[in-house]
Amino acid sequence: MFQEGLNRFIGKKLFPSDSPENFRFRQQSWEKFHHDGLPNRKNEDWKYSNPKNVFQKNFDFATKDSPAVVLSTSLKNSYALFFENGILNSVQSQLKELGLAGVEVTVTSEMSPQLGFLPLGKSSSIKSHFMYDLNSAYAQQQVIIKISAGKKIQRPIEFVFQNALDNLFLCPRIKVIFESQSEATIFETFQNPKSFDFFSNTFFEIQVQENAKAKWYTCTDDGDVGFNYSNHLILLDESSHLDKISFNCQSGFFKNVTEVFHLQPLAESKIKSLSVTKNENHSDHFSAINHLMGQGTSTQLYKSILSGQSRSVFKGQIFIQKQAQKVISEQKNKNLLLSSRAEVDSLPQLEILADDVKANHGSAIGQINPEEIFYLQSRGFNRQQAFETLAVGFGLDIFSEITHPEIRTFFHDRARKNLVDVTVDAEDVHGKTKQ
């Protein structure tokens, strides 16, 4: 599929606005991807997530003639950026309103390298990144969003990704810059209401400059199909602040890579995530915090709730350089199994070269205690309600720090609905199917 796509790309000039330099960059990216080969279990980052079957499918590019999508936001009061079949819809997006609020949105076909300046730590997966090279070769545009210095954007900026065709190959590429002392909330949703099959390979580069505050919320609901890969590369300047909270459910194959680089002192990052899987869903999270300078703080909390034959993978890393003294960093992964057939792989890691830091990590995998079920039943709950109550209590605290009321309500409602769905097939600790 990919070689055929490259041939069309070269022969028919799929990207006619490319400069000669950009065209060469695309070719080099493809050649690097082709040389390294497809992701497989021999690669440490894909050891527990084998996408071999996905790469054998026949996906195709969206074109200007692709049918339109009925686009709508999840929030009543937001600035909308609609990505239709992976491409920014400039007509329906609220570009003018964003401009008046102090947010500049530009679109370019240039895919020039952006990562060469980064002092990547050992933990970084980008240095030899299959999916980054693939995105560089095939992204049809790069969208650059700049929040002006000192601006505090009152309404969330909502990224809406939605497809109108089956079997699409999508490579969105987005850079978001929070300039000095700016504040903004990004709300990112991936919607697949018709359960179209797809291959999505999305790359975000997020720069949070000095004293800026970024809140980034993500909800992914793929309709039990598709291959959804996303990468959030986040660069934090001095005294900057990041809150990133995500929720994913009903994913055929989902993998997210979040890499945060504390480039200057006093930066703070908080990352939380909840995954709810059922049937044969596959969810994989790679989270790495790279402290390159001292006096920074970071927290990671990843939770998953699994039923059916689903699988959840977590690989978390904290990397603290020798010069990054007085760092405080914490990483936790908690998993709740509702089925004896579900599977969890948890790999928390620390690599610390500094000697004056506070860092810890932990992982827990367990099932609902039957005594807790019995207690709730003695208080009038039926068995189904007891499972629902305990699962909801386990998962919803991920969203407790969301300050925007409409976004918090959205996450609570979506998560609660999916938690009710997965508890229908829940089992007790002995593997007996719940009646």
Side-chain angles (χ1 to χ4, degrees):
M1 183 276 293
F2 293 110
Q3 186 62 56
E4 293 174 359
L6 180 64
N7 292 338
R8 291 199 302 274
F9 151 52
I10 294 175
K12 297 183 180 180
K13 195 68 174 177
L14 184 62
F15 307 103
S17 60
D18 271 356
S19 65
E21 294 79 10
N22 201 51
F23 187 77
R24 283 194 295 271
F25 175 62
R26 290 187 188 277
Q27 288 181 306
Q28 291 168 0
S29 298
W30 167 258
E31 289 167 1
K32 187 173 183 299
F33 175 84
H34 190 64
H35 176 268
D36 292 341
L38 299 175
N40 59 67
R41 290 182 175 175
K42 294 181 180 180
N43 181 275
E44 187 64 28
D45 293 333
W46 295 83
K47 185 175 181 179
Y48 303 97
S49 300
N50 187 0
K52 180 180 179 180
N53 293 336
V54 176
F55 286 98
Q56 295 175 350
K57 294 183 179 181
N58 183 28
F59 297 100
D60 207 349
F61 295 96
T63 67
K64 292 182 179 180
D65 299 325
S66 299
V69 182
V70 178
L71 299 167
S72 62
T73 60
S74 298
L75 306 178
K76 295 180 180 179
N77 190 26
S78 64
Y79 296 110
L81 290 176
F82 292 110
F83 292 84
E84 183 179 3
N85 301 321
I87 302 171
L88 180 68
N89 185 322
S90 299
V91 175
Q92 294 196 45
S93 296
Q94 295 177 291
L95 303 184
K96 183 178 179 180
E97 292 87 343
L98 280 166
L100 293 173
V103 180
E104 177 186 347
V105 181
T106 58
V107 180
T108 177
S109 63
E110 294 300 305
M111 300 295 149
S112 56
Q114 303 165 325
L115 306 177
F117 69 92
L118 270 178
L120 298 179
K122 290 183 180 179
S123 65
S124 177
S125 66
I126 298 177
K127 292 184 296 183
S128 57
H129 210 306
F130 308 96
M131 306 304 287
Y132 173 74
D133 294 327
L134 191 62
N135 181 278
S136 297
Y138 284 115
Q140 298 189 48
Q141 60 179 204
Q142 179 175 216
V143 179
I144 302 173
I145 301 159
K146 185 182 296 184
I147 295 101
S148 298
K151 290 289 186 180
K152 294 178 173 55
I153 311 304
Q154 300 301 318
R155 290 156 56 184
I157 303 171
E158 186 171 354
F159 299 170
V160 181
F161 295 87
Q162 191 169 327
N163 304 336
L165 286 172
D166 205 6
N167 299 314
L168 281 182
F169 177 62
L170 312 168
C171 285
R173 191 180 182 102
I174 301 166
K175 178 190 287 189
V176 182
I177 303 170
F178 296 79
E179 291 192 333
S180 177
Q181 298 185 341
S182 65
E183 295 182 17
T185 297
I186 306 296
F187 183 53
E188 172 197 347
T189 63
F190 190 99
Q191 304 171 4
N192 191 18
K194 295 186 178 181
S195 295
F196 287 137
D197 202 5
F198 64 92
F199 183 108
S200 180
N201 177 22
T202 306
F203 263 78
F204 290 95
E205 179 186 340
I206 304 161
Q207 299 179 14
V208 189
Q209 296 182 359
E210 184 178 359
N211 290 303
K213 295 182 179 180
K215 295 182 179 181
W216 194 289
Y217 306 124
T218 301
C219 180
T220 306
D221 187 343
D222 296 332
D224 284 328
V225 296
F227 176 94
N228 194 332
Y229 177 93
S230 61
N231 185 296
H232 294 80
L233 170 66
I234 305 169
L235 313 176
L236 300 181
D237 211 334
E238 185 172 353
S239 299
S240 60
H241 182 92
L242 167 73
D243 281 322
K244 183 177 184 289
I245 298 176
S246 62
F247 172 65
N248 80 279
C249 60
Q250 301 190 66
S251 299
F253 188 107
F254 173 88
K255 184 176 177 70
N256 174 256
V257 174
T258 296
E259 296 197 77
V260 182
F261 290 84
H262 288 237
L263 301 178
Q264 297 296 333
L266 301 172
E268 181 179 7
S269 61
K270 297 179 180 180
I271 300 175
K272 293 184 176 183
S273 174
L274 174 64
S275 294
V276 179
T277 58
K278 61 180 182 179
N279 302 327
E280 297 182 353
N281 296 164
H282 186 103
S283 177
D284 184 341
H285 288 273
F286 174 80
S287 178
I289 306 295
N290 299 269
H291 286 277
L292 305 180
M293 299 297 290
Q295 297 179 293
T297 62
S298 64
T299 60
Q300 303 171 71
L301 175 59
Y302 281 78
K303 290 187 175 184
S304 65
I305 301 175
L306 303 89
S307 69
Q309 300 181 61
S310 62
R311 186 172 188 176
S312 177
V313 180
F314 171 76
K315 182 179 180 181
Q317 296 180 338
I318 299 172
F319 184 77
I320 303 178
Q321 292 275 14
K322 185 176 181 179
Q323 69 274 15
Q325 303 294 338
K326 298 189 182 301
V327 161
I328 300 174
S329 187
E330 180 182 65
Q331 175 191 105
K332 292 181 180 179
N333 176 226
K334 298 181 179 182
N335 305 276
L336 180 63
L337 292 169
L338 301 179
S339 167
S340 59
R341 298 164 294 159
E343 183 175 348
V344 172
D345 302 282
S346 182
L347 298 93
Q349 299 176 9
L350 294 177
E351 186 169 351
I352 302 172
L353 303 181
D355 56 14
D356 185 10
V357 302
K358 294 180 181 179
N360 64 80
H361 69 303
S363 175
I365 303 172
Q367 296 174 303
I368 288 178
N369 190 328
E371 293 182 0
E372 295 175 338
I373 297 293
F374 176 79
Y375 174 81
L376 290 176
Q377 287 181 304
S378 71
R379 294 299 185 270
F381 289 73
N382 63 35
R383 192 169 175 79
Q384 172 68 32
Q385 292 170 333
F387 269 92
E388 290 176 11
T389 300
L390 294 171
V392 168
F394 175 84
L396 289 193
D397 69 318
I398 287 289
F399 312 121
S400 62
E401 295 186 12
I402 297 178
T403 56
H404 191 281
E406 190 178 3
I407 294 177
R408 185 173 60 250
T409 299
F410 174 88
F411 274 112
H412 277 190
D413 292 347
R414 184 63 62 90
R416 190 179 295 273
K417 177 182 180 300
N418 280 274
L419 289 171
V420 169
D421 289 343
V422 298
T423 54
V424 170
D425 296 320
E427 302 171 0
D428 64 23
V429 293
H430 304 294
K432 180 180 178 182
T433 303
K434 177 183 67 61
Q435 300 298 318

